[in-house]
Amino acid sequence: MWSHPSWENRPLAPRERLRAYASWCNAVEGNTTFYATPSADTVASWVEQTTPEFRFLLKIPKTVTHERRLVDVAPRMRAFLDAVEPLGQRVHALWVQLPPSFGPADLPALASFLRRLPRDYRRVVEVRHPAFFDDPRALEATLDGAEWVTFDTTVLFGQPPVTEAEQESWQKKPRLPRRAEALTAHPVVRYIGRDDPERTALGWRPWVDTVVTWLREGRSPTVFIHTPDNAEAPSLARRFHDDVRERLPGLASLPEPVPTQPLTLF
């Protein structure tokens, strides 16, 4: 998302909020595309509000991944790819988010689907079936150049929930182990902490170590920082970036956020 009721970009018109978000963070999960293929006018607005270096990791529509389970989806995928083509290099990756019921028996469908995706797009795959974490070898062989998205919920489930948003997340989010292996030069991490910012920052320390290692290896990771209520997600993302930068001073800083409302004296 690039808008939230508690974020500073809420005073802006909806079609200006992405521009403000892009001054806080340089990548976004394409959750909107999971629910519907965007219109040409919408994509044109995304292009206008971002620089070519901004990273969209676009989730493939759920009609493809969840309803059709990657089978007989050529017309839907052609419409989706045509719609996002104007984003050009902003499309950092196409994101295949699979349902928890998508298990090892479904890997032939995934292999066939990945082969048909245009090779000029990076491909990342998120799985939630526990069997893949018990023995990852079959999935890793199937990915064939695609990245395995890590969704780290260990901190979320480390202690009982204490807020309403944490309780809701306990009901909806998958209980997955922390997995810190990169298969490609562009690993992707989704980290969800707690509504307490300090508990969230304490929990991401292993990821700071991992990301520093990846950067030293010449990889270019994308890390998304979440909390159950996401109220402070942009500032936490910048804080995570600062923690990495303390270890790697040569890492470029993020831009200064643009003002979202008129400046006042008080």
Side-chain angles (χ1 to χ4, degrees), residues 21-38:
Y21 170 91
S23 73
W24 280 79
C25 302
N26 56 13
V28 72
E29 293 183 16
N31 277 333
T32 59
T33 57
F34 181 71
Y35 296 102
T37 294

Side-chain angles (χ1 to χ4, degrees), residues 105-134:
D106 299 296
L107 285 178
L110 176 60
S112 177
F113 180 79
L114 292 175
R115 283 196 301 268
R116 287 169 170 76
L117 286 179
R119 287 287 172 163
D120 48 349
Y121 287 114
R122 296 187 189 92
R123 300 152 297 141
V124 301
V125 178
E126 180 185 335
V127 295
R128 300 186 176 187
H129 196 290
F132 293 128
F133 298 88
D134 295 334

Side-chain angles (χ1 to χ4, degrees), residues 147-227:
E147 185 58 77
W148 181 343
V149 176
T150 290
F151 191 6
D152 181 7
T153 61
T154 56
V155 171
L156 172 65
F157 290 109
Q159 297 175 349
V162 296
T163 68
E164 183 177 343
E166 288 178 358
Q167 292 173 350
E168 183 178 356
S169 291
W170 264 50
Q171 296 171 3
K172 294 183 177 181
K173 302 300 182 184
R175 293 178 181 245
L176 301 174
R178 179 183 288 120
R179 178 188 166 277
E181 290 76 27
L183 303 181
T184 71
H186 296 87
V188 179
V189 176
R190 303 179 74 193
Y191 166 80
I192 180 166
R194 303 293 292 246
D195 287 334
D196 177 357
E198 297 310 314
R199 180 69 188 92
T200 296
L202 179 66
W204 74 41
R205 287 181 179 176
W207 283 116
V208 172
D209 295 337
T210 298
V211 169
V212 167
T213 297
W214 284 342
L215 290 167
R216 286 173 173 162
E217 293 172 347
R219 303 181 196 267
S220 181
T222 304
V223 181
F224 295 110
I225 303 296
H226 296 275
T227 65

